[in-house]
Amino acid sequence: MPRPFVDLLEAARRRLPRLLFDYIDGGSYAEVTIRRNAADLDAIALRQRVLRGVEELSLSTPLFGHELSMPLLLAPVGFAGMYARRGEIQAARAAQAAGVPFCLSTLSICSLEEVAATVSAPVWLQVYLLRDRGFCADLIERAKAAKCAALIFTVDMTIPGARYRDLRSGMSGPGGARGAAMRAWQGVTRPAWLWDVQLRGGRLRFGNIPPGVVADTGFGGFANWFARNIDASLTWKDFTWLRERWSGTILVKGLLDRDDARAALAAGADGIIVSNHGGRQLDGAPSTVAALPAVVGEVGGRVPVLADGGVRSGLDILRLLALGADACLIGKAWAYALGAAGEAGVTELLQTLRAELAVAMALTGCTDVREASRELLAR
Ligand SMILES: Cc1cc2nc3c(=O)[nH]c(=O)nc-3n(C[C@H](O)[C@H](O)[C@H](O)COP(=O)(O)O)c2cc1C
């Protein structure tokens, strides 16, 4: 039987160096919003219904002209090629086999071209609007050449969230000899990971960022380049820059507020992803499940509304659908699964989520996932 979320999380904890596990697992400041995402989902009681003829269930979900095998996408997750060798490719393969989209982060280890050449399903590409607009314009052209299904414009990263766990773990501190020794020790005490990623994987770099863009192609150089390039001056007017270059689907990812949803629609977004970046940006922000109904109300069915944050089970997927999401995304869950067991781990996770969603549908009397509504919630 495929392992559930919590077992894959624990397996990732055992297999990954601490700095990588903590990078996936952690969030900003006191990690209040991470806990809220999960706790608020847990608090939603589903309405148990019986004897309603639930032998035939349909999980199939239409989205922007694509047919998803279930209402789920793999969210963009940076650095995934460090959790397992060529990690983005392994995850994209598992997503394709399960019939769900894979969203590639700009900050991936495997390049867009490498992923697109490996899977036949179109990749959904996450982009930032960076100060280096030349880089962004090139990436959009590359997305056209790779026949990406959609761009996901992340709007909640115009300033970095402070992640204290990363400072302590070795991910972003401490520097100097002490930091280097800490990182080396974490690597040697995780031999399976060390062999798979560091020794067999060759030199790791961010595949979407051409060497010409930054002078220093080491991780520190890229991190400094990214920090210099995220742009706190962005406004909704900048959406036009993106629209002029990409006529296909653009989803805006990372809003929680109904007024921002209205602005996104006015700017011309084709879809909205209600997200607090998995609690990695504004600590103290509401959980996504708490924010979702107001955004859904504001959007009023004009464009699809997706949501992520704290999804650990098929029950959580059904909870978000009941509150109005058209589909949801998982971030940490697939990153743990990849870190635990590569492609097989992500496949296991997707099988588990699908089976859990089916059971949750059957026991709430919901035979078609497209019809999930507030009727599924216990009052
Ligand atoms: C390790 C990690 C890296 C992430 N990197 C990105 C990224 O590069 N771009 C982005 O838009 N979101 C990124 N996210 C946020 C996810 O896309 C998603 O919004 C979030 O993980 C959802 O919450 P969950 O982790 O509770 O499922 C990242 C999340 C994690 C856990």
Side-chain angles (χ1 to χ4, degrees):
M1 202 169 123
R3 283 172 287 180
F5 168 90
V6 66
D7 294 6
L8 291 162
L9 180 154
E10 288 308 327
R13 194 196 302 274
R14 289 192 298 274
R15 190 168 186 277
L16 293 175
R18 182 186 148 201
L19 66 89
L20 288 181
F21 179 80
D22 274 358
Y23 174 67
I24 298 169
D25 194 57
S28 52
Y29 297 138
E31 303 182 350
V32 170
T33 296
I34 292 194
R35 288 193 293 278
R36 258 186 208 155
N37 280 344
D40 288 0
L41 277 168
D42 285 343
I44 293 171
L46 293 163
R47 186 174 166 207
Q48 178 174 305
R49 303 297 306 276
V50 297
L51 302 190
R52 290 172 60 89
V54 291
E55 212 178 7
E56 299 288 323
L57 300 174
S58 172
L59 279 68
S60 186
T61 306
L63 194 64
F64 302 114
H66 304 270
E67 201 62 34
L68 281 50
S69 72
M70 59 178 155
L72 190 69
L73 299 87
L74 267 57
V77 162
F79 298 70
M82 296 187 74
Y83 315 149
R85 181 159 41 95
R86 310 320 283 168
E88 290 89 2
I89 284 183
Q90 297 202 50
R93 280 199 179 120
Q96 171 167 280
V100 298
F102 175 73
C103 306
L104 183 73
S105 164
T106 288
L107 299 181
S108 55
I109 302 301
C110 298
S111 69
L112 170 60
E113 290 77 9
E114 199 180 343
V115 179
T118 314
V119 287
S120 55
V123 175
W124 301 42
L125 180 68
Q126 177 265 324
V127 295
Y128 296 107
L129 266 188
L130 300 173
R131 289 185 197 279
D132 186 343
R133 287 296 170 87
F135 165 76
C136 297
D138 282 350
L139 189 59
I140 294 169
E141 290 308 312
R142 290 165 62 190
K144 288 180 195 161
K147 301 203 169 14
C148 287
L151 291 188
I152 297 176
F153 172 31
T154 298
V155 291
D156 58 4
M157 178 63 87
T158 53
I159 192 159
R163 308 201 186 136
Y164 296 144
R165 262 211 243 187
D166 291 348
L167 284 173
R168 292 184 208 111
S169 68
M171 188 73 182
S172 55
R178 191 170 146 244
M182 218 168 127
R183 286 185 281 278
W185 176 249
Q186 289 184 27
V188 296
T189 52
R190 291 291 186 274
W193 172 89
L194 188 70
W195 169 245
D196 177 40
V197 178
Q198 290 281 72
L199 301 178
R200 286 181 67 202
R203 189 164 172 267
L204 296 173
R205 53 177 300 277
F206 291 110
N208 289 328
I209 305 168
V213 171
V214 279
D216 173 2
T217 57
F219 265 95
F222 280 116
N224 290 337
W225 171 82
F226 185 70
R228 272 199 319 277
N229 269 288
I230 53 176
D231 187 354
S233 75
L234 290 181
T235 70
W236 285 107
K237 287 196 190 115
D238 294 290
F239 188 90
T240 314
W241 187 93
L242 208 56
R243 179 51 86 203
E244 281 166 357
R245 284 159 184 81
W246 180 266
S247 57
T249 304
I250 305 179
L251 289 105
V252 168
K253 172 176 180 281
L255 61 80
L256 295 170
D257 193 282
R258 65 186 318 156
D259 293 343
D260 287 338
R262 195 176 326 120
L265 288 182
D270 302 299
I272 287 174
I273 304 178
V274 175
S275 173
N276 50 35
H277 217 103
R280 302 163 79 80
Q281 285 296 97
L282 176 64
D283 199 29
S287 67
T288 43
V289 69
L292 177 65
V295 173
V296 169
E298 185 65 44
V299 171
R302 281 172 285 177
V303 300
V305 177
L306 283 62
D308 68 22
V311 173
R312 295 144 297 151
S313 68
L315 292 169
D316 291 338
I317 299 174
L318 195 63
R319 287 170 169 131
L320 287 169
L321 297 187
L323 286 164
D326 292 290
C328 37
L329 299 89
I330 44 169
K332 282 187 276 295
W334 80 256
Y336 297 133
L338 181 71
E343 180 179 343
V346 182
T347 296
E348 252 185 295
L349 173 75
L350 293 173
Q351 285 171 351
T352 301
L353 293 177
R354 186 181 178 86
E356 290 171 344
L357 175 59
V359 171
M361 287 170 65
L363 294 177
T364 54
C366 170
T367 51
D368 189 335
V369 84
R370 289 170 301 178
E371 285 162 14
S373 71
R374 282 181 172 269
E375 284 294 304
L376 302 183
L377 303 177
R379 285 174 220 288

